[in-house]
Amino acid sequence: MLQRKKWDIDFLGALPTNDEIYEILGRHKTVFVNSQNYLQYFIKVINETPISFPRNQTLFTCYSTELEKYGFEENFHEGEFTRVNELVEFLMDSLILFKPSKKVLSNHEEVYNATEIRLIPKLESYRADQRFKSIPIFSKSVHKMTQEEFVDSLMLGKYVGTAEGISIEPDDTPSIVLWREDKTYIAYGLFDHHEYAHGGFSFTSNVGVREIPFSHWMNKVYLEGNDDEMLLFIDLDSYSEIERKLEDITPIANILREPLLPEGTYYSRIDDEESLEKDEKDAANITNEEDTYDKEEEFMEHFIHTTREMGLQYYEKDLYNFHTAMKSSALTILAGMSGTGKSRLVQAYGKALGLDPSQLVFVAVRPSWADDADLLGYVDTKNMLYRPSDTSLVDALFHAQQERNNKMFIICFDEMNLSRVEHYFSQFLSVLEMEPNRRMLRLYSDRIAQQIHNSAQYGPEINIGPNVVFVGTVNLDESTYHFSDKVLDRANVITLDVQSYDMLKIRNTRDTKEKTRKQPYTFEQYNKFKALESPVSLMDNELDMLWKLHLVMQKENKNLGIGPRVVKQIDNYLKNLPPSNKFLTRKEAFDIQVVQRILTKLRGPEGLLKGLIGKINNDRVEGSLYELFERYEDVSDFTRTKSAIIQKAKELKVNGFTV
């Protein structure tokens, strides 16, 4: 008579290699056709198992019929080699959630099986040598309590409810538990003991309960993705990192608090007035320190210092232009010849802000990209999974969405015109013009969200908040595409000038006594650099000049001109010019905006543009544009604008067209 046992615990597994099977069982096949002509395969457990579970039991048997619900169809007419390879290929990109079971045969042989199979896509960061640990999840929707009640129960050792899929044995206490509300997670620890009874778990901490936001690690977890999810898996390195973070935090106490705390904010119960006074003084010191960091002038000094340290030799005027464009534009594009350090400048900006690699993401554009699926990913309708692209952009945007009130993110599209921007970037071009709370990037339809197995990790849409800044680098040569007006209408296109090569010998001649920033700039601090939104406030002579320029361009070609959007963007740029800076005046900034916002769209054949651009005569150009700028010297001397017009006049003369 068979004896059976099933553990009500979730294990995480992967398909082992043939070598691993041979080392454990002395056989070579991970997948094989059994005596009933069905495919059978082994699963290797990759998470820490309960203390009482047999230590040497790492392999579990499973059958292909368990995979039919995920779309796997076994072709019995094919040979064994083909059938085996089809199953291996089907499972190659997935990890496997399962519940272990055991049956004892009549000859006392024990056979371990995997039941209740569920597939989860492998993360790009997955390594075959990784081991994982489970963390229970508690939530308002499942456990019918508020976060305040949950924390109070943790503090007082009260029962907080069940967490299906995790061991309840006394020796298997999880040191970390999670609270989930909406899609935000908070980690609590460090727990040493637990009890389990009719009310579920109660936890005890010998060092005091602590809490930290969990969002930083959400891109490293495996979870099934249901709304009633009570368990996730995370790699042991990340688990240890969370434990260390919790160790560094002062224990919280049993008080009423806001339900979801921003990162870096912690509370403690005040038992006496002396402690309260001390905490108020500490808070005042923190506030003063934050006020110091909020000074934009200090940041710019740090940014310029960082560029010098990295060997970049740009003029301060151009660095102020870049910074102003970054904080006032939906998209900033750095143009110029190859080798001038455009990508390095973005790195320097991120370094000055103190961004870590997860906050400064470089997307290497490929010539083969044809639509946004190449950039974002696609829905695998066979397996009903969302497959993000290998650019890591989607993961970064979801991370930014979780940290929208705390952290800054910079997304840099490197060599973004190697492919047609209007094709792969089309959805972004529409989204970035919307208000921040309406900037929703669509990954797939809401109608199929319930059918996508990893929809908890990759929801149908992403809100691109104001904490995300987009920048691109481009080379303008025969291997690249030019931008359409749709792109140029939304971008500040900056061509950087490099300083004299004599500067290459000088690493940094500035005063190096500048303070080293110990903490990164938060989104709140960076946001204070920005001017408040307000109606257009350009000066009368500036508006008059832009209107006359629009009329002149329209007279030559009805497809040319300056739309209201561009006027508003120029106004926003000037409002965001760092006050009292000595490197970039308002008149110079206006000149720069004419080049970056208007003249970039002035391109075409000589027949259409000759009257507008004119022809070169000595050091000036005889044309309606050049003459207009000379009449408005009270607005700016238009040094860069005139230089750009001269360059375009040369292109018309030599090539018969300008780009």
Side-chain angles (χ1 to χ4, degrees), residues 403-443:
E403 298 282 1
R404 62 178 298 142
N405 296 321
N406 301 318
K407 293 184 178 181
M408 277 291 302
F409 289 78
I410 295 177
I411 310 295
C412 178
F413 297 94
D414 205 19
E415 299 193 64
M416 71 182 302
N417 62 336
L418 278 178
S419 183
R420 289 196 180 277
V421 178
E422 301 79 10
H423 294 174
Y424 74 83
F425 204 65
S426 58
Q427 193 177 169
F428 282 89
L429 293 175
S430 299
V431 167
L432 292 180
E433 283 303 303
M434 300 178 182
E435 295 296 320
N437 60 341
R438 296 180 56 216
R439 291 179 5 176
M440 306 303 295
L441 188 70
R442 176 65 60 179
L443 300 183

Side-chain angles (χ1 to χ4, degrees), residues 191-220:
F191 301 108
D192 306 282
H193 308 285
H194 80 273
E195 292 181 3
Y196 190 87
H198 63 279
F201 285 96
S202 67
F203 297 96
T204 304
S205 174
N206 292 334
V207 295
V209 179
R210 299 113 188 273
E211 70 175 4
I212 57 172
F214 189 78
S215 54
H216 174 72
W217 295 278
M218 279 304 295
N219 61 344
K220 299 181 180 180

Side-chain angles (χ1 to χ4, degrees), residues 371-592:
D371 58 36
D372 60 4
D374 295 309
L375 177 63
L376 299 173
Y378 65 96
V379 172
D380 177 353
T381 54
K382 178 180 178 181
N383 299 303
M384 294 312 291
L385 295 168
Y386 184 77
R387 306 281 189 186
S389 74
D390 58 5
T391 62
S392 298
L393 176 61
V394 167
D395 293 295
L397 292 178
F398 273 117
H399 186 193
Q401 179 178 265
Q402 294 165 354
E403 298 282 1
R404 62 178 298 142
N405 296 321
N406 301 318
K407 293 184 178 181
M408 277 291 302
F409 289 78
I410 295 177
I411 310 295
C412 178
F413 297 94
D414 205 19
E415 299 193 64
M416 71 182 302
N417 62 336
L418 278 178
S419 183
R420 289 196 180 277
V421 178
E422 301 79 10
H423 294 174
Y424 74 83
F425 204 65
S426 58
Q427 193 177 169
F428 282 89
L429 293 175
S430 299
V431 167
L432 292 180
E433 283 303 303
M434 300 178 182
E435 295 296 320
N437 60 341
R438 296 180 56 216
R439 291 179 5 176
M440 306 303 295
L441 188 70
R442 176 65 60 179
L443 300 183
Y444 54 88
S445 172
D446 289 324
R447 291 184 291 105
I448 64 171
Q450 295 297 324
Q451 305 170 44
I452 303 298
H453 300 307
N454 59 344
S455 60
Q457 184 177 3
Y458 299 109
E461 59 184 11
I462 311 173
N463 181 217
I464 302 177
N467 63 325
V468 183
V469 180
F470 293 94
V471 60
T473 67
V474 300
N475 294 323
L476 301 178
D477 54 38
E478 67 280 356
S479 68
T480 60
Y481 294 94
H482 294 288
F483 294 119
S484 68
D485 286 355
K486 184 176 182 180
V487 177
L488 296 174
D489 266 346
R490 292 158 172 80
N492 253 305
V493 183
I494 300 174
T495 302
L496 296 164
D497 293 326
V498 295
Q499 289 181 314
S500 168
Y501 294 152
D502 293 338
M503 298 296 293
L504 293 174
K505 293 182 178 181
I506 306 172
R507 193 64 177 168
N508 187 10
T509 59
R510 291 181 157 270
D511 182 6
T512 57
K513 293 181 180 179
E514 135 182 65
K515 293 181 180 178
T516 300
R517 188 174 175 81
K518 296 181 180 179
Q519 295 180 344
Y521 283 85
T522 64
F523 168 65
E524 181 182 3
Q525 292 165 345
Y526 185 83
N527 203 39
K528 288 181 180 178
F529 295 162
K530 299 181 181 180
L532 296 176
E533 292 188 13
S534 61
V536 171
S537 58
L538 289 170
M539 298 178 183
D540 291 343
N541 58 348
E542 293 170 340
L543 284 170
D544 183 60
M545 179 265 160
L546 290 173
W547 177 245
K548 294 290 175 53
L549 178 58
H550 170 72
L551 294 177
V552 168
M553 296 173 74
Q554 284 270 291
K555 183 179 179 181
E556 292 292 333
N557 188 335
K558 287 296 182 182
N559 291 323
L560 296 176
I562 306 169
R565 175 196 288 138
V566 173
V567 175
K568 292 176 183 177
Q569 290 168 343
I570 292 174
D571 175 66
N572 192 37
Y573 176 95
L574 294 175
K575 287 175 182 173
N576 279 280
L577 194 65
S580 304
N581 84 84
K582 60 183 179 181
F583 297 107
L584 185 59
T585 66
R586 181 183 178 91
K587 288 187 174 183
E588 291 172 325
F590 192 89
D591 178 22
I592 286 172

Side-chain angles (χ1 to χ4, degrees), residues 66-72 90 117-119 382-383 453:
E66 288 263 15
L67 300 174
E68 290 177 354
K69 60 186 176 183
Y70 291 102
F72 180 77
F90 185 83
I117 296 295
R118 290 145 289 162
L119 300 184
K382 178 180 178 181
N383 299 303
H453 300 307

